[in-house]
Amino acid sequence: MKVAVIGGGWAGIAAAVELAAAGVDTTLFEAGRVLGGRARSVTVDGRKLDNGQHILLGAYRETLDVMRQVGADPDRLLDRHPLQVVDDAGFRLALPKWPAPLNVAWGLLSAKGVSLREKLSTAWWIQGVKARGFRLGKDCTVTEWLDSAGQTGLLRRNLWEPLCLAALNIPAGRASAQIFANILRDSLGSARREDTDLLLSRVNLGQLLPEPAGEWLAAHGATLRLGTRVDGIVASSDQVAVAGEHFSAAIIATAQQHAARLLPDSGSSFDHEPIATVYLQFGSKFRLPFPLFRQTGKYGQWAADRGNGLIGCVLSGHGDWEALADDALASALQSELPIAEAALWHKVIREKRATFSCRPGIARPDCSTSNPRIMLAGDYTWADYPATLEGAVRSGRRAAHALLGKRYDPPP
């Protein structure tokens, strides 16, 4: 079997690795000069940076599995921290290294600045959600879900709404409550304590998966066609033509809007949300109180400490921040950090269509299409999750497994 994988993001990488590991003749097409898609390294002003901040969780088991498969050791490349939510207004919730669910229970009961009544009410609500398997009767917004549960206090403002924005890249007032519940199910609701851990990268995104995966694929006989944009595919009953080559089958692992151009029946089009990363370089000794720090000012959301005084402030979803010019945005976010000194350097990286808008009830396709020789992959096809690296990786592996089950002959 000979398979084309179109798109070299994390979904396409995962699909190509799965196919090549099974001995399939695999060709990976990527329009950019490097692998990684929307989670890659870029060079700016002579510095190697990430095009966005992508925080991994211990629950991202398949992402960690693919990393190990291609020789990228998570224990060496990632710092593992028990979950903490720390902000600049005095709120702090920290999970201990205790077995689940005791770790979550103690984290809630020991949360700083929250009344005992609210803590007990929240713990009772979580137990009820858990008893129902984290399934909602009907999808609604996260705001509506929290309202109906009576979650209106400090934990809502300082925990649930910020976690929703970080995970779904969309404010609670527009976000799908069922998708947020799925994230809670696989993290705070997991029976494995390690699933709640934050995994913060010690290296840039390219070194986490795209670069070692590219080397692994080349070493295992796959063909990498970087800088090759696929403008169309032609499928028949016994083959698929991609960029003038003939294949037994193809996996379209691009963003949804590009997949729709290649295959018009690939599903409904989605609205999208922007993400900006504002890099601020301070003196090398500066550290945040916790490597992932919540900002509570007018614009700030989350700040990631990348080491050596480099801070990456993350802004997700449509908001007032979009109207600010880069210099003004960097200045505003700097003022919302716990540091008096001025940044030595700053850079703003904006992704206007960073993720699909994860709203209630949107119809999302799976991996199958009207042509059994063409599969879809991408975070938008993994309906359990929002736009995450784990959803992308799972979707790529699923699409590869679907083709491996068919074992088409090579094209004539």
Side-chain angles (χ1 to χ4, degrees):
M1 184 161 66
K2 183 181 180 183
V3 177
V5 178
I6 305 169
W10 288 49
I13 289 170
V17 168
E18 203 73 11
L19 292 168
V24 173
D25 183 355
T26 304
T27 299
L28 177 58
F29 294 89
E30 166 55 37
R33 291 177 294 177
V34 298
L35 298 177
R38 287 173 292 164
R40 67 187 187 279
S41 300
V42 296
T43 300
V44 179
D45 296 344
R47 297 170 176 245
K48 201 159 192 179
L49 303 171
D50 295 337
N51 71 325
Q53 302 304 296
H54 296 265
I55 308 302
L56 280 72
L57 297 175
Y60 285 10
R61 301 182 199 179
E62 295 204 28
T63 300
L64 300 176
D65 186 39
V66 175
M67 287 176 62
R68 294 187 187 98
Q69 189 174 0
V70 300
D73 181 7
D75 294 334
R76 180 177 61 86
L77 300 175
L78 298 169
D79 274 326
R80 182 179 285 269
H81 298 269
L83 177 66
Q84 288 193 41
V85 179
V86 182
D87 68 24
D88 52 11
F91 177 81
R92 182 176 183 269
L93 180 146
L95 303 191
K97 289 185 177 181
W98 294 0
L102 295 177
N103 62 330
V104 176
W106 179 255
L108 284 171
L109 291 175
S110 62
K112 185 179 178 181
V114 183
S115 70
L116 179 61
R117 180 177 181 180
E118 184 179 352
K119 292 174 183 177
L120 293 175
S121 172
T122 299
W124 182 255
W125 170 62
I126 290 176
Q127 281 302 109
V129 172
K130 195 171 184 178
R132 294 188 293 275
F134 291 87
R135 296 303 305 172
L136 280 61
K138 181 182 178 182
D139 200 4
C140 59
T141 67
V142 171
T143 292
E144 291 168 337
W145 186 38
L146 295 174
D147 284 345
S148 67
Q151 293 294 306
T152 58
L154 284 172
L155 287 173
R156 171 178 178 154
R157 294 192 298 275
N158 294 297
L159 179 64
W160 305 125
E161 290 180 344
L163 286 182
C164 170
L165 184 57
L168 275 66
N169 302 316
I170 183 172
R174 296 188 288 119
S176 164
Q178 183 58 69
I179 300 300
F180 185 49
N182 295 345
I183 294 292
L184 296 180
R185 176 197 66 203
D186 293 346
S187 55
L188 295 179
S190 172
R192 294 177 73 249
R193 185 209 65 78
E194 295 83 357
D195 286 349
T196 63
D197 286 346
L198 287 172
L199 307 181
L200 304 177
S201 181
R202 296 173 179 157
V203 297
N204 58 57
L205 282 170
Q207 293 172 275
L208 278 189
L209 182 64
E211 292 168 14
E215 294 173 2
W216 186 94
L217 286 166
H220 286 74
T223 300
L224 302 181
R225 301 205 184 282
L226 302 180
T228 304
R229 182 178 300 279
V230 175
D231 293 320
I233 58 177
V234 179
S236 65
S237 60
D238 59 355
Q239 64 182 15
V240 179
V242 178
E245 297 183 55
H246 296 286
F247 297 89
S248 310
I251 295 175
I252 301 176
T254 65
Q256 191 276 334
Q257 66 270 24
H258 302 309
R261 176 173 52 82
L262 295 172
L263 193 69
D265 66 349
S266 60
S268 304
S269 61
F270 301 139
D271 293 330
H272 289 80
E273 299 292 326
I275 295 179
T277 300
V278 180
Y279 285 104
L280 300 167
Q281 179 67 66
F282 298 100
S284 60
K285 294 184 179 180
F286 176 65
R287 296 288 185 275
L288 290 174
F290 184 71
L292 188 62
F293 184 74
R294 181 175 168 252
Q295 297 177 272
T296 61
K298 180 178 180 180
Y299 298 106
Q301 297 174 7
W302 294 93
D305 193 329
R306 300 306 305 268
N308 296 317
L310 181 64
I311 307 299
C313 300
V314 184
L315 298 165
S316 300
H318 291 293
D320 294 340
W321 62 268
E322 293 176 275
L324 295 183
D326 287 356
D327 289 348
L329 184 57
S331 178
L333 292 177
Q334 176 181 313
S335 70
E336 296 175 8
L337 287 172
I339 185 171
E341 68 182 76
L344 305 173
W345 174 89
H346 70 264
K347 183 66 181 180
V348 179
I349 298 177
R350 301 180 189 245
E351 296 274 357
K352 293 184 178 180
R353 296 169 64 89
T355 66
F356 65 88
S357 189
C358 195
R359 300 183 183 186
I362 61 172
R364 294 166 62 180
D366 59 20
C367 67
S368 60
T369 72
S370 58
N371 188 317
R373 291 180 179 269
I374 300 176
M375 298 291 163
L376 297 177
D379 52 22
Y380 72 98
T381 70
W382 193 263
D384 245 18
Y385 281 0
T388 61
L389 296 179
E390 179 72 359
V393 168
R394 291 190 184 193
S395 74
R397 297 180 103 186
R398 176 180 63 181
H401 290 158
L403 288 182
L404 289 172
K406 299 177 185 294
R407 283 292 177 181
Y408 290 116
D409 293 330

